[in-house]
Amino acid sequence: MDDLLIRSRRTVLPDGERPAAVSVRGGRIAAVSAHDAVLPAAESVDLGDVALLPGLVDTHVHVNEPGRTEWEGFATATRAAAAGGVTALVDMPLNALPPTVDPSALAAKRAAAEGACAVDVGFWGGAIPGNLASLRPLHDLGVFGFKCFTSDSGVPEFPPLAPAEMRAAFREIASFGGLVIVHAEDPGSLLPPAGGDYPAFLASRPPSAERRAVEQVVGLAAETGVRAHILHLSSASCLEVLAKARADGLPVTAETCPHYLTLSAGDAVATTFKCCPPIRDEANREMLWQGLASGVISCVVSDHSPSTPELKLGDFATAWGGVSSLQLGLPAVWTAARERGHGLASVVRWMSEAPAALAGVPGKGGIAAGNDADLVAFAPDEPFTVDPAALHHRHPLTPYAGRTLTGVVRTTWLRGVPIADEPAGRLLTAEAR
């Protein structure tokens, strides 16, 4: 007998959306059967027309613990993730102290996370000047890949790689089959903002900054053979470069974020909208959607980058750059996707299947026999207004405050058990590669 049986007339499976019954045994998906199959189970749930999705996999989250836990933390971030249908996340190596750039820092990160997480959590390592010798040991300890910056990261303990340092890091990471993920903005193309309003901030980080850095990454991927991934793509001017890299067979992929797909420069009325690279104009936004539809962009992840409220004070020249949206990514993207003719299967591919495949997150990314029973009951036609008081991340700051979105997460199951107050998340390591 199975532990749990969930039926939905809108089950989103790897081959599309259809009525189905999903059996769970021992925390894993035992089988996917016909919707009307008669199957014995200790507990049965019939969702009707509420959709059943696989848990989302968010590979771009800044948890900031240890060291800057006043900004965020594993308990609050993972509660927000669960409320947003995210059942696995991969934590970025910077903004915590120490940054995850050597085995001792990874041990500190894992110690801080142990027993505190509502969802499963893995870790990225970092590539910074001077830590070349730590990359392989971090890989062997199970980090999912290595983040680096081409320009200033915003925190002094995580400096960018100069071109020669980046080449050396790419070669080293390629030597053991690792993945490098890159914040790609060309430092020579960035300027101090000429004023404190949003147009001045936007002008200080032009599309050419992203394109030049993406061209650099593509060139180094061709030279070294490393698998490279472009983080938080905001400029559609990069799509041509990435499409050519893909056509040439280079192992280069890219992601974008909900805020680049759902907001525009004209919306930026408060510093909660500030992020780097910046939210650009509506025409650029629509081209990003075209990049997603064509497959040039493969993933949509949050880049949840919170801070204390004090760091968001001031103007667009001085405030901290980061958008808090971990809990809201699914409804934000679904609201915009359905307006453009995309179905739930596409959203699941962008927000679950592709991120899991990119990072090699084991047992995640789809409703299929053998995978973890990480599942989400999602009411796709139910509207709601974003109330910051209902958010679970540490500081309820978000550019979506007061917006009406469509799609409500009703229940999130982690390994077949509804996520509740007692932390049940596990710490993940990358699959052997």
Side-chain angles (χ1 to χ4, degrees), residues 142-407:
V143 300
F144 285 85
F146 299 89
K147 182 174 187 176
C148 67
F149 279 74
T150 60
S151 57
D152 179 45
S153 73
V155 290
E157 67 276 2
F158 203 98
L161 294 175
E165 294 166 330
M166 183 171 291
R167 178 174 285 106
F170 277 32
R171 283 178 176 157
E172 175 66 7
I173 294 165
S175 75
F176 51 74
L179 171 67
V180 62
I181 60 175
V182 186
H183 180 123
E185 289 183 286
D186 171 48
S189 303
L190 303 177
L191 300 168
D197 61 10
Y198 193 79
F201 169 67
L202 183 60
S204 75
R205 305 185 91 95
S208 59
E210 284 188 79
R211 178 160 179 144
R212 288 171 184 165
V214 168
E215 288 171 341
Q216 178 190 11
V217 172
V218 169
L220 285 175
E223 177 185 330
T224 65
V226 78
R227 289 191 302 134
H229 180 70
I230 304 299
L231 298 167
H232 47 46
L233 189 76
S234 93
S235 173
S237 71
C238 300
L239 294 174
E240 179 185 8
V241 179
L242 292 166
K244 185 177 186 305
R246 190 178 178 212
D248 291 343
L250 295 177
V252 179
T253 53
E255 70 188 36
T256 192
C257 304
H259 40 281
Y260 301 130
L261 294 170
T262 64
L263 305 174
S264 69
D267 299 321
V269 295
T271 57
T272 49
F273 289 80
K274 182 182 177 180
C275 55
C276 300
I279 296 166
R280 304 190 188 276
D281 62 33
E282 291 182 5
N284 178 85
R285 181 184 66 195
E286 297 312 309
M287 286 188 283
L288 291 178
W289 278 104
Q290 293 172 23
L292 263 180
S294 69
V296 174
I297 302 171
S298 58
C299 305
V300 180
V301 290
S302 68
D303 190 11
H304 178 71
S305 185
S307 69
T308 61
E310 291 75 20
L311 287 174
K312 277 294 190 181
L313 297 176
D315 58 26
F316 284 101
T318 59
W320 174 260
V323 168
S324 297
S325 62
L326 183 53
Q327 188 171 331
L328 299 171
L330 174 58
V333 172
W334 169 237
T335 300
R338 72 194 310 223
E339 292 172 353
R340 292 164 176 80
H342 299 290
L344 280 172
S346 294
V347 173
V348 164
R349 184 172 68 253
W350 301 328
M351 302 187 78
S352 183
E353 178 185 338
L358 167 78
V361 184
K364 312 295 186 183
I367 299 176
N371 274 357
D372 290 344
D374 295 354
L375 302 164
V376 179
F378 182 65
D381 301 317
E382 185 176 331
F384 72 100
T385 300
V386 176
D387 176 6
L391 300 177
H392 292 277
H393 57 260
R394 187 173 298 280
H395 302 291
L397 303 175
T398 177
Y400 294 99
R403 285 179 170 261
T404 298
L405 302 177
T406 302

